[in-house]
Amino acid sequence: MLTRLEIDSELYLSVLDQNDAPALALYLNEKEIHDRTLQIPFPYSEADAHWFISHCEQLQQEHGHVINWAIRLKTGELIGGIGFHCKNMGSPIAHRDEVGYWVAKPYWNKGIMSRVLPLVCAYGRDVRGLRRIEAPIYAWNIGSEKVLLKSGFRQEGYLCKSYFKNNTFHDAKLFALIY
Ligand SMILES: CC(C)(COP(=O)(O)OP(=O)(O)OC[C@H]1O[C@@H](n2cnc3c(N)ncnc32)[C@H](O)[C@@H]1OP(=O)(O)O)[C@@H](O)C(=O)NCCC(=O)NCCS
């Protein structure tokens, strides 16, 4: 099983392990990340991190390949995460999946996700046979929109009141990358 992907001289991706729990708890206990994503709890504890890491290990075993990657500096320090939601495995729509990602706030705007996302999508295509990768985002998430457009995604739809979070309805934009 492929468990490490080189991005460039500064970054690589590898599997999560239980030693990553403190870094996950440090960086994901961040309201601005919680507000922009769907499934990341806030506050975020080390117990949440251990649960998520075990969940990733289980998915890996089940499917025989890595589903969720840690984004790391060459020192090994975890500074983000990216993965697929595995919604359609084993079904007639197994060729499509959703991608989700985050970067630790101190590392925003350094071009990290713009370098990581294209490689992870190519991995999804080559290893899993994905032909359609979807990314529904909050319509106001400009940073995410820019990363998607730079990575070859195109907007396919505008979904009014698609999400209800923090007591508010949010419109969404649906982006997709087609292979
Ligand atoms: C969205 C996110 C992953 C972007 O990662 P990043 O590594 O900071 O992105 P990059 O540095 O590659 O930025 C790509 C482009 O977006 C721009 N950008 C990034 N964040 C931005 C923001 N908040 N507002 C406006 N533009 C932004 C960058 O300036 C860059 O533009 P350029 O190519 O014209 O220079 C990061 O902000 C994040 O983790 N956000 C919280 C979680 C999240 O939103 N996840 C996605 C859920 S759908």
Side-chain angles (χ1 to χ4, degrees):
M1 191 193 315
L2 188 59
T3 56
R4 179 173 169 132
L5 294 177
E6 299 301 326
I7 302 296
D8 54 28
S9 59
E10 285 172 4
L11 300 169
Y12 71 97
L13 309 183
S14 72
V15 290
L16 287 152
D17 75 59
Q18 295 294 345
N19 295 327
D20 290 318
L24 282 180
L26 174 70
Y27 289 135
L28 286 178
N29 196 32
E30 167 59 62
K31 184 79 165 43
E32 289 196 57
I33 293 183
H34 166 78
D35 284 346
R36 287 164 173 72
T37 51
L38 279 183
Q39 287 169 349
I40 299 177
F42 183 81
Y44 193 98
S45 66
E46 282 201 23
D48 293 317
H50 284 299
W51 176 87
F52 179 67
I53 295 162
S54 300
H55 173 66
C56 294
E57 289 167 350
Q58 203 180 320
L59 281 175
Q60 242 161 257
Q61 278 187 356
E62 230 172 272
H63 298 294
H65 49 252
V66 178
I67 305 287
N68 291 286
W69 297 95
I71 304 170
R72 298 186 195 276
L73 299 175
K74 284 283 147 124
T75 55
E77 188 194 341
L78 179 150
I79 57 154
I82 184 164
F84 292 102
H85 294 161
C86 278
K87 283 188 168 171
N88 313 314
M89 303 289 241
S91 81
I93 49 172
H95 64 285
R96 75 162 113 128
D97 206 345
E98 256 177 48
V99 67
Y101 44 80
W102 62 275
V103 172
K105 201 163 168 218
Y107 296 91
W108 285 10
N109 265 310
K110 297 180 189 295
I112 289 175
M113 196 48 73
S114 301
R115 287 181 268 163
V116 168
L117 182 60
L119 255 103
V120 170
C121 291
Y123 163 87
R125 176 196 61 203
D126 297 341
V127 173
R128 294 187 43 203
L130 294 180
R131 291 295 174 269
R132 175 182 170 84
I133 299 177
E134 297 180 348
I137 67 169
Y138 292 113
W140 47 265
N141 193 347
I142 304 298
S144 191
E145 174 168 347
K146 282 195 177 179
V147 169
L148 290 165
L149 290 171
K150 283 178 79 172
S151 305
F153 283 71
R154 291 294 164 257
Q155 188 178 333
E156 291 189 340
Y158 189 94
L159 316 173
C160 296
K161 291 194 179 174
S162 192
Y163 299 120
F164 184 75
K165 184 161 180 177
N166 298 341
N167 242 11
T168 312
F169 289 103
H170 297 266
D171 294 351
K173 290 180 179 175
L174 175 64
F175 287 85
L177 177 65
I178 309 297
Y179 288 116

